């Protein structure tokens, strides 16, 4: 005999609602993770940009006061900051996560508007793959149609 916890009792409405709520929670968790990474990359990108500007102005000031040793040190620091910006591309990563945040927000809107859970799950799966590979959406889940003979 079936019990109340038996999934075969025909209580598919509550199961479907629970699945939809779980999917919505997963989308919200993904959004929070993307927002966290966006904030991290934006913060470091801004810090390196401001440091480069401040040091550049300091180089001009030290040159005006004819302190060549200080100018040399400040020049080396600017070179280090430029190298760090090239080695750690915080700006492009921030842009990437900004796009993912927007796409995930659109997915949340679709979910709340009644999009089929299978479509939401497929889109979330694609976004997660892009997140893991840091590739723009669509480039990781489908091959180029022009490659077919």
């Amino acid at each position: 005999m079936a019990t109340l916890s038996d999934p075969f009792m025909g209580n598919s409405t509550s199961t479907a609602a629970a699945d939809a709520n779980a999917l919505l929670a997963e989308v919200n968790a993904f959004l929070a993770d993307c927002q966290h990474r966006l904030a991290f990359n934006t913060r470091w990108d801004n810090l390196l940009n401001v440091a480069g500007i401040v040091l550049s102005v300091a180089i001009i000031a030290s040159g005006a006061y004819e302190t060549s040793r200080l100018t040399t040190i400040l020049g080396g620091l600017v070179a280090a900051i430029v190298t760090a910006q090239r080695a750690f591309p915080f700006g492009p990563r921030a842009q990437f996560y900004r796009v993912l945040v927007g796409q995930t927000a659109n997915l949340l809107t679709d979910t709340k508007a009644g999009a089929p859970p299978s479509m939401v799950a497929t889109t979330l799966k694609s976004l997660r793959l892009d997140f893991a590979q840091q590739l723009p959406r669509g480039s990781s889940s489908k091959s180029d149609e022009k490659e077919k003979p």
Side-chain angles (χ1 to χ4, degrees), residues 47-59 78 81:
L47 178 76
L48 290 175
N49 287 331
V50 168
I53 292 168
V54 168
L55 286 173
S56 296
V57 170
I59 287 173
V78 167
I81 287 176

Side-chain angles (χ1 to χ4, degrees), residues 29-84:
F30 181 74
L31 178 62
D33 198 14
C34 288
Q35 288 171 331
H36 174 74
R37 288 186 183 211
L38 172 61
F40 174 83
N41 284 286
T42 300
R43 190 176 312 116
W44 278 101
D45 185 45
N46 290 340
L47 178 76
L48 290 175
N49 287 331
V50 168
I53 292 168
V54 168
L55 286 173
S56 296
V57 170
I59 287 173
I60 294 168
S62 67
Y65 291 109
E66 298 179 9
T67 55
S68 62
R69 289 182 181 172
L70 181 60
T71 303
T72 303
I73 292 169
L74 293 174
L77 290 174
V78 167
I81 287 176
V82 169
T83 301

Side-chain angles (χ1 to χ4, degrees), residues 61-142:
S62 67
Y65 291 109
E66 298 179 9
T67 55
S68 62
R69 289 182 181 172
L70 181 60
T71 303
T72 303
I73 292 169
L74 293 174
L77 290 174
V78 167
I81 287 176
V82 169
T83 301
Q85 285 176 321
R86 298 232 190 280
F88 305 105
F90 293 114
R93 285 183 186 161
Q95 179 62 31
F96 171 76
Y97 288 117
R98 189 173 292 115
V99 169
L100 272 183
V101 165
Q103 291 174 339
T104 306
N106 289 341
L107 182 60
L108 277 173
T109 301
D110 291 345
T111 303
K112 291 174 183 175
S118 61
M119 188 274 304
V120 173
T122 301
T123 304
L124 181 60
K125 183 175 162 184
S126 175
L127 289 173
R128 282 180 176 160
L129 184 59
D130 295 340
F131 178 89
Q133 297 176 345
Q134 291 192 355
L135 296 172
R137 183 162 181 232
S139 60
S140 61
S141 59
K142 295 180 182 177

